[in-house]
Amino acid sequence: MTQMLTLSLRQLTGKWRVILIVLLALIPVGLAFVPGGDRADADEEFINGLLDGLLVGVIMPLVTMALATAAFGNEIEDKTLSYVFLKPVARWRIAIPKFLASVIIAAPLALVSGGLATYIGTDGDLRTTVAVAMALSVGVITYASVFTWAGLITTRALPFAIVYVFLWEGLLSTFIGGIRYLSVRGYTLAIMNGLDDNGLEVLSDRVIEFPAAVVGAFAVTIVFLWLTVYRLRRMDVP
């Protein structure tokens, strides 16, 4: 597993991919310096616009999908996955390192980006900063499991992931409350609010229950990791 993880990390840290995801991660930090108006209005604008709309709704999933969809996607396109399959190892020993590689890269970026942006935007509120950082880490892990599986079942995983994020996670989950129980974005926001319901009170009227979010994120991660392993066991590799 260590060799597979090292190989996967090397594959995912290409120069241009790293530059792109780092630039994406820096956007919320830069915008957090933009001054707001009245303190209460500024806090609400920060949470609704930068935190929910940009960081959770766009940056976190884009960074994660850029890495996780490529975990298997590059090898499928290059037809090099067959060489991995030649090793007499259990399929989960292939799937888990691929998943972990994207998490190891994406989670620190999301954590630092969200943590710095929140610390700046809330004038140094440590509890809110920690809540945001922890929730984003859970979101990255959950998204990574979904996008790793997507990269294995289709060579068009990136377009599929983009449509999924902006249609299901963005549009539909915003207007149809029940979808939040099946939404990674919904889980992330609910965990943020559950960890700091005072500083992030603005989110209270549109998030699901904290226990449901934790269970949902855990369940989605386990289910999609299982689906990835199952796909590896069943697929024919040229």
Side-chain angles (χ1 to χ4, degrees):
M1 283 183 63
T2 303
Q3 290 181 340
M4 181 61 67
L5 178 59
T6 302
L7 174 63
S8 300
L9 286 170
R10 191 179 303 121
Q11 290 174 329
L12 294 179
T13 51
K15 177 182 176 181
W16 293 111
R17 180 180 287 115
V18 170
I19 290 174
L20 174 62
I21 61 177
V22 168
L23 288 176
L24 283 172
L26 288 175
I27 292 174
V29 179
L31 291 177
F33 283 102
V34 178
D38 177 77
R39 180 72 258 173
D41 291 339
D43 286 345
E44 185 172 349
E45 181 180 337
F46 170 78
I47 294 171
N48 289 333
L50 196 148
L51 192 58
D52 181 6
L54 181 63
L55 192 57
V56 177
V58 179
I59 302 298
M60 178 185 70
L62 283 181
V63 168
T64 309
M65 80 168 68
L67 294 162
T69 56
F72 282 110
N74 288 345
E75 290 180 337
I76 292 176
E77 288 184 2
D78 298 340
K79 300 187 183 301
T80 57
L81 189 59
S82 57
Y83 297 109
V84 178
F85 274 36
L86 291 175
K87 296 183 178 181
V89 296
R91 294 299 183 247
W92 68 268
R93 290 181 176 270
I94 299 174
I96 298 300
K98 293 288 188 181
F99 160 74
L100 287 177
S102 57
V103 171
I104 288 171
I105 301 170
L109 280 173
L111 190 150
V112 172
S113 173
L116 282 175
T118 304
Y119 188 81
I120 296 165
T122 59
D123 290 337
D125 190 321
L126 285 177
R127 182 177 178 182
T128 304
T129 299
V130 171
V132 170
M134 291 181 65
L136 288 173
S137 299
V138 173
V140 166
I141 292 170
T142 311
Y143 269 131
S145 68
V146 176
F147 296 146
T148 300
W149 167 79
L152 189 59
I153 64 168
T154 175
T155 57
R156 302 181 183 276
L158 194 57
F160 163 81
I162 291 173
V163 171
Y164 162 74
V165 166
F166 289 104
L167 181 60
W168 181 268
E169 297 282 352
L171 185 62
L172 294 180
S173 67
T174 299
F175 296 104
I176 305 175
I179 289 180
R180 294 169 192 161
Y181 288 91
L182 299 172
S183 163
V184 180
R185 180 182 181 180
Y187 302 151
T188 306
L189 292 173
I191 291 172
M192 281 185 193
N193 180 251
L195 293 174
D196 184 16
D197 57 351
N198 184 41
L200 298 168
E201 187 179 2
V202 174
L203 299 174
S204 299
D205 61 345
R206 62 177 185 272
V207 296
I208 63 175
E209 300 81 4
F210 177 72
V214 174
V215 172
F218 178 79
V220 168
T221 302
I222 295 301
V223 166
F224 277 94
L225 285 177
W226 180 85
L227 288 172
T228 301
V229 174
Y230 181 81
R231 174 64 175 169
L232 283 172
R233 288 172 177 168
R234 298 290 180 177
M235 70 186 298
D236 294 324
V237 180

